Amino acid sequence: MTQERAAEDIQRVELALTRLFREVRSTLRDDVALVHPQATPAAYNILAHLVNVGPARAADLAEVFAVDKAAISRHLCQLEALGLIERTPNPADRRALHVTATEQGRRGYLTAKQVRLERLRERLRRWPPEEVRLLADLLEKLDLGGR
């Protein structure tokens, strides 16, 4: 492959990722609205983490999302006020609090996830299974979070 062709391919990847990220942001707004009309995308991502991974301390969430504790605290206050999370004493250390998704938060997130998966299934419906598998493999290989 020539250097010129490689540069063109990199530009195509960057353009496709830009369009994909724009669509993901739009989809995220739709997902958030399904969970609660007053929730923010950042708070929704915290809720998603709590549903998928389980209870966590606020300090751990700050580390996972690479934001300061004050930002996490604001998002947790919002989620708690909306009834989507609760804070309970940590059984291992009563001074610390565990943050957990409430049943309402869990249901809302899982509903939004189901809608999102259905939209994705519809977009990939006509793709041959081996191409869907290849896409999954390539996206896992790209794994932007694993630099």
Side-chain angles (χ1 to χ4, degrees):
M1 176 183 297
T2 68
Q3 284 186 335
E4 185 177 303
R5 177 60 194 223
E8 288 173 11
D9 289 342
I10 294 291
Q11 287 179 355
R12 287 178 54 221
V13 168
E14 191 275 333
L15 181 59
L17 286 173
T18 298
R19 287 191 308 255
L20 181 63
F21 292 155
R22 189 176 307 125
E23 186 166 334
V24 166
R25 281 192 302 274
S26 175
T27 298
L28 177 60
R29 285 190 299 271
D30 294 343
D31 290 354
V32 172
L34 283 172
V35 172
H36 197 286
Q38 295 174 334
T40 63
Y44 172 85
N45 285 329
I46 293 168
L47 176 64
H49 180 81
L50 294 171
V51 171
N52 290 315
V53 177
R57 295 178 316 133
D60 296 333
L61 292 169
E63 189 174 316
V64 165
F65 290 98
V67 297
D68 62 49
K69 292 178 186 176
I72 286 294
S73 180
R74 284 190 302 275
H75 297 307
L76 293 178
C77 284
Q78 179 194 53
L79 288 167
E80 190 171 36
L82 297 175
L84 302 174
I85 63 136
E86 61 186 355
R87 300 181 216 211
T88 56
N90 180 339
D93 178 359
R94 289 284 196 206
R95 295 168 297 169
L97 295 176
H98 260 145
V99 181
T100 308
T102 62
E103 188 54 37
Q104 176 187 350
R106 183 178 301 286
R107 270 194 326 269
Y109 170 74
L110 293 174
T111 297
K113 181 179 181 178
Q114 189 59 40
V115 169
R116 184 175 62 251
L117 286 173
E118 193 51 46
R119 282 191 300 245
L120 186 56
R121 276 188 202 96
E122 183 57 31
R123 289 189 81 167
L124 298 175
R125 184 171 54 88
R126 291 192 172 102
W127 287 34
E130 55 277 357
E131 286 186 6
V132 174
R133 188 173 305 109
L134 176 61
L135 176 62
D137 291 345
L138 291 173
L139 288 172
E140 287 172 356
K141 185 175 182 179
L142 179 61
D143 187 9
L144 294 174
R147 297 172 201 226

